[in-house]
Amino acid sequence: MSREDRFLKACRREEVDMTPVWLMRQAGRYMQEYRDLREKYSFLEMCKIPEVALEVTMQPVNRIGIDAAILFSDILIPVEAMGIDLEFTEGRGPVINNPVRDERTYKTLRPIEPADVGFVTDAIKLLRHELKGKVPLIGFSGAPFTLASYMVEGGHSRNFLTIKGMMYQAPGLYDSLMNLIADVVVTYLKAQIDAGAQVVQIFDSWVGCLGPDDYEAFAMPYTKKITDALKGSGVPVIHFANGASTYLDKVAAAGGDVIGVDWRVDLDRAWDAIGPDKAIQGNLDPVALMAGQDEIDKRVRSIVKKAGGRNGHIFNLGHGVLPPTPVENVKYLVDLVHEVSLRR
Ligand code: CP3
């Protein structure tokens, strides 16, 4: 089986020769090649110059031997195109200078057109050419709740007080904002698919701050709007909701062919909650990559065993690779997943 088929087949729950593996945030600061390039460009420049985005996307493909490439970009790129004033500051991550907290600011936002993100579709076209005969390309977007949390809070948040305040106190404004974001995400993902993305992942990184009832009322309908709109696209959708392991049934009901799970739940239990009609992606604790190789070995074998040889497991971390991760442990992990999951 070619490396190009392994991941796509697993997304469709077809038989594979060994479990495919890729890692969220597989391109980034844990790699020397990335840090070298980052000396020359700001983070946003790296996202916006297609040739640079191409080079960074390829770094883990060439160095680590993963089974899928993920476009190098950021979930906040389409948000900027909506009229948000975005900065990436050293140490603080994304900062939004015009947070959306009232009707007046909401009215300054606009939907996007594919031409607004032409550098993204250009990077995808270059990548498909570069990746021919190698591995498939994943496109991605943030989910409405996660994007709204940045737009309303103005950056990363601990308690999500402002966005939850809007949910409870200004439900009409919240609903308008979430619908606008959902429409933007549909346009954005369709543009990526038209340009050549073979799979798309929806990242709901911060939705775990919601309890099950609030998830159902305030996040699920808007994510479902996106997965419904992509149903005819012919491209598998991975839906990753971080911190949502106590209500994976609802996450699965929001749609996606593959459900990404974090490390806070056993993979077999997660699959029971999701149901056998969906593939699953996960779920090693990213911090385990900081442990010794014996520990990594033990945990990888345990996850592969919980998948039990069923079709439709894609190995990944439960969240992104952290910057202090030793690159040799990442390489060790990928080879190990292949070795222990080889179907004989
Ligand atoms: O997975 C990949 O290799 C593709 C690249 C990718 C990045 N961001 C690169 C990045 C992807 C898929 C993302 C998505 C993203 N961005 C998410 C969802 C994934 C997740 O981890 O939950 C989120 C929440 C963001 C928002 C964001 N972007 C934050 C919070 C930060 C700061 C984090 C930090 O550790 O500084 C970023 C910046 C960012 N995005 C970097 C990279 C490589 C670091 C930028 C730098 O070099 O300074």
Side-chain angles (χ1 to χ4, degrees), residues 102 138 144 210 246 269 276 336:
D102 51 34
I138 306 170
L210 299 180
T246 60
R269 286 200 175 198
L336 184 68

PDB file of all heavy atoms in Angstrom, residues 102 138 144 210 246 269 276 336:
ATOM      1  N   ASP A 102     -19.863  44.158  20.982  1.00  0.00           N
ATOM      2  CA  ASP A 102     -21.160  44.835  20.852  1.00  0.00           C
ATOM      3  C   ASP A 102     -21.611  44.797  19.388  1.00  0.00           C
ATOM      4  O   ASP A 102     -20.838  44.456  18.493  1.00  0.00           O
ATOM      5  CB  ASP A 102     -21.078  46.285  21.373  1.00  0.00           C
ATOM      6  CG  ASP A 102     -19.905  47.030  20.763  1.00  0.00           C
ATOM      7  OD1 ASP A 102     -19.563  46.769  19.585  1.00  0.00           O
ATOM      8  OD2 ASP A 102     -19.294  47.868  21.461  1.00  0.00           O
ATOM      9  N   ILE A 138      -3.838  17.835   4.163  1.00  0.00           N
ATOM     10  CA  ILE A 138      -4.984  18.218   5.003  1.00  0.00           C
ATOM     11  C   ILE A 138      -5.094  19.744   5.009  1.00  0.00           C
ATOM     12  O   ILE A 138      -4.117  20.441   5.265  1.00  0.00           O
ATOM     13  CB  ILE A 138      -4.773  17.732   6.468  1.00  0.00           C
ATOM     14  CG1 ILE A 138      -4.488  16.230   6.523  1.00  0.00           C
ATOM     15  CG2 ILE A 138      -5.968  18.100   7.337  1.00  0.00           C
ATOM     16  CD1 ILE A 138      -4.028  15.742   7.908  1.00  0.00           C
ATOM     17  N   PRO A 144     -16.486  27.360  14.789  1.00  0.00           N
ATOM     18  CA  PRO A 144     -17.060  28.656  15.177  1.00  0.00           C
ATOM     19  C   PRO A 144     -16.809  29.044  16.639  1.00  0.00           C
ATOM     20  O   PRO A 144     -16.420  30.183  16.909  1.00  0.00           O
ATOM     21  CB  PRO A 144     -18.557  28.476  14.885  1.00  0.00           C
ATOM     22  CG  PRO A 144     -18.580  27.505  13.741  1.00  0.00           C
ATOM     23  CD  PRO A 144     -17.447  26.555  14.017  1.00  0.00           C
ATOM     24  N   LEU A 210     -17.045  24.521  27.698  1.00  0.00           N
ATOM     25  CA  LEU A 210     -18.508  24.432  27.803  1.00  0.00           C
ATOM     26  C   LEU A 210     -18.920  23.078  28.370  1.00  0.00           C
ATOM     27  O   LEU A 210     -18.349  22.047  28.009  1.00  0.00           O
ATOM     28  CB  LEU A 210     -19.157  24.583  26.414  1.00  0.00           C
ATOM     29  CG  LEU A 210     -18.911  25.888  25.662  1.00  0.00           C
ATOM     30  CD1 LEU A 210     -19.619  25.858  24.311  1.00  0.00           C
ATOM     31  CD2 LEU A 210     -19.387  27.091  26.485  1.00  0.00           C
ATOM     32  N   THR A 246     -16.112  14.244  27.694  1.00  0.00           N
ATOM     33  CA  THR A 246     -17.286  13.767  28.452  1.00  0.00           C
ATOM     34  C   THR A 246     -18.571  13.837  27.625  1.00  0.00           C
ATOM     35  O   THR A 246     -19.612  13.382  28.075  1.00  0.00           O
ATOM     36  CB  THR A 246     -17.498  14.577  29.752  1.00  0.00           C
ATOM     37  OG1 THR A 246     -17.700  15.956  29.406  1.00  0.00           O
ATOM     38  CG2 THR A 246     -16.312  14.443  30.686  1.00  0.00           C
ATOM     39  N   ARG A 269     -13.026   3.592  24.933  1.00  0.00           N
ATOM     40  CA  ARG A 269     -14.249   4.195  25.480  1.00  0.00           C
ATOM     41  C   ARG A 269     -14.731   5.338  24.587  1.00  0.00           C
ATOM     42  O   ARG A 269     -15.919   5.542  24.389  1.00  0.00           O
ATOM     43  CB  ARG A 269     -13.959   4.764  26.854  1.00  0.00           C
ATOM     44  CG  ARG A 269     -13.819   3.706  27.893  1.00  0.00           C
ATOM     45  CD  ARG A 269     -14.024   4.380  29.204  1.00  0.00           C
ATOM     46  NE  ARG A 269     -14.037   3.442  30.286  1.00  0.00           N
ATOM     47  CZ  ARG A 269     -14.534   3.737  31.469  1.00  0.00           C
ATOM     48  NH1 ARG A 269     -15.045   4.935  31.695  1.00  0.00           N
ATOM     49  NH2 ARG A 269     -14.523   2.855  32.431  1.00  0.00           N
ATOM     50  N   PRO A 276     -19.554   3.156  16.007  1.00  0.00           N
ATOM     51  CA  PRO A 276     -18.704   2.418  15.071  1.00  0.00           C
ATOM     52  C   PRO A 276     -18.758   2.942  13.636  1.00  0.00           C
ATOM     53  O   PRO A 276     -17.971   2.523  12.794  1.00  0.00           O
ATOM     54  CB  PRO A 276     -19.267   0.985  15.133  1.00  0.00           C
ATOM     55  CG  PRO A 276     -20.696   1.160  15.556  1.00  0.00           C
ATOM     56  CD  PRO A 276     -20.735   2.386  16.429  1.00  0.00           C
ATOM     57  N   LEU A 336       7.476   3.926  15.538  1.00  0.00           N
ATOM     58  CA  LEU A 336       6.916   2.954  16.476  1.00  0.00           C
ATOM     59  C   LEU A 336       5.452   2.646  16.166  1.00  0.00           C
ATOM     60  O   LEU A 336       5.032   1.486  16.197  1.00  0.00           O
ATOM     61  CB  LEU A 336       7.064   3.520  17.894  1.00  0.00           C
ATOM     62  CG  LEU A 336       6.633   2.620  19.037  1.00  0.00           C
ATOM     63  CD1 LEU A 336       7.580   1.431  19.151  1.00  0.00           C
ATOM     64  CD2 LEU A 336       6.618   3.412  20.346  1.00  0.00           C
TER      65      LEU A 336
END
